[in-house]
Each structure stands twice: as structure tokens, then as C-alpha cells.
Amino acid sequence: PVFETTTKKNKVPLGIENIKTLTKDLNIPWFAIGGIKSNNISYLKRNGFKKVALVSELMNSEDPKEDAMMILKKSCLMKIRVNGEEKKIELDQENALLSTALHHMGYKPNTIVVELNNLI
């Protein structure tokens, strides 16, 4: 597991750095699993993790389908062009709106032109 988890009680968490070391030369898709929660997905993505598996959070949910859809919506990586420069931004719980994400990147609303899917 990446983090401590109740579903893998007898396993010691490897942590992000160990998993990055173990997977750096893998040429096949792999998933981070173990203690993955909706609130740590963006942290994992910032550390190069591309695929994650949530188990207990969805299994313990009253509406796992709805929660899974919300998690996917809240963790969306977008490529945009800001003032002619390509940027990658992640829309997550902190940056749910494009304007908030741009503000966190230091852009002022009246000084930017944003292009998304070739639309300005």
C-alpha cells in the first residue's frame, strides 16, 4: 500500500518515494492502491502517479457511483493556453473553478486570455 489502510492491515505502507523508485522503469500501466482517498489524489498526481484505486472510501459510501463520479470531476487535469503559453492545470477540490486555478497560478482575471479546445 501507498498509505496506511484498514483493508491491508498487515502491510507496511511503502510511501510515495519508495513507489516512485520501484516504478520508475515500468513500461506497463500500474495503479497506486492502499490508503488512497479523494483528498490525496491531487497530491499523488503532483508526484507523478497517473492511476489510483480507491477501495474503502467507495465501499463505505452510501452512494459509491455518485461519489466516484464526483471524485473524477474534482480531479481533472486540463491543458490550456494562457496568454499564448501552454499550461497544465488541475481542477480539484481546491481549484474547482478555472478562475480559481488561474488565480492560484498568479494570474489576474483582467490580464489573461484563456484558450481551451481552440476556443477563446
Side-chain angles (χ1 to χ4, degrees):
V2 180
F3 306 112
E4 283 190 38
T5 175
T6 57
T7 60
K8 295 163 189 58
K9 293 177 185 170
N10 298 325
K11 302 291 182 186
V12 175
L14 295 176
I16 289 178
E17 292 305 318
N18 284 333
I19 292 176
K20 284 167 66 173
T21 299
L22 291 168
T23 58
K24 70 179 179 188
D25 295 324
L26 281 181
N27 295 320
I28 58 172
W30 58 272
F31 287 78
I33 191 168
I36 310 302
K37 306 283 184 215
S38 58
N39 65 352
N40 61 21
I41 292 173
S42 60
Y43 175 69
L44 291 167
K45 288 175 83 174
R46 283 192 303 272
N47 279 278
F49 288 59
K50 294 183 168 97
K51 299 178 185 299
V52 298
L54 284 84
V55 177
S56 57
E57 185 167 340
L58 294 176
M59 294 300 293
N60 296 325
S61 170
E62 289 183 21
D63 191 347
K65 181 179 177 181
E66 179 65 23
D67 286 352
M69 289 172 44
M70 291 304 295
I71 290 166
L72 289 172
K73 287 179 185 177
K74 290 179 182 176
S75 184
C76 176
L77 185 64
M78 298 175 60
K79 286 184 184 178
I80 63 170
R81 191 170 295 280
V82 180
N83 295 342
E85 186 178 344
E86 189 170 298
K87 298 281 184 182
K88 290 181 183 177
I89 62 169
E90 186 172 1
L91 299 183
D92 56 19
Q93 291 168 331
E94 279 182 41
N95 298 317
L97 300 173
L98 179 58
S99 59
T100 305
L102 290 168
H103 175 74
H104 285 171
M105 295 169 69
Y107 292 102
K108 306 261 187 273
N110 58 345
T111 63
I112 62 170
V113 174
V114 176
E115 180 183 328
L116 176 63
N117 297 331
N118 297 320
L119 299 173
I120 297 178

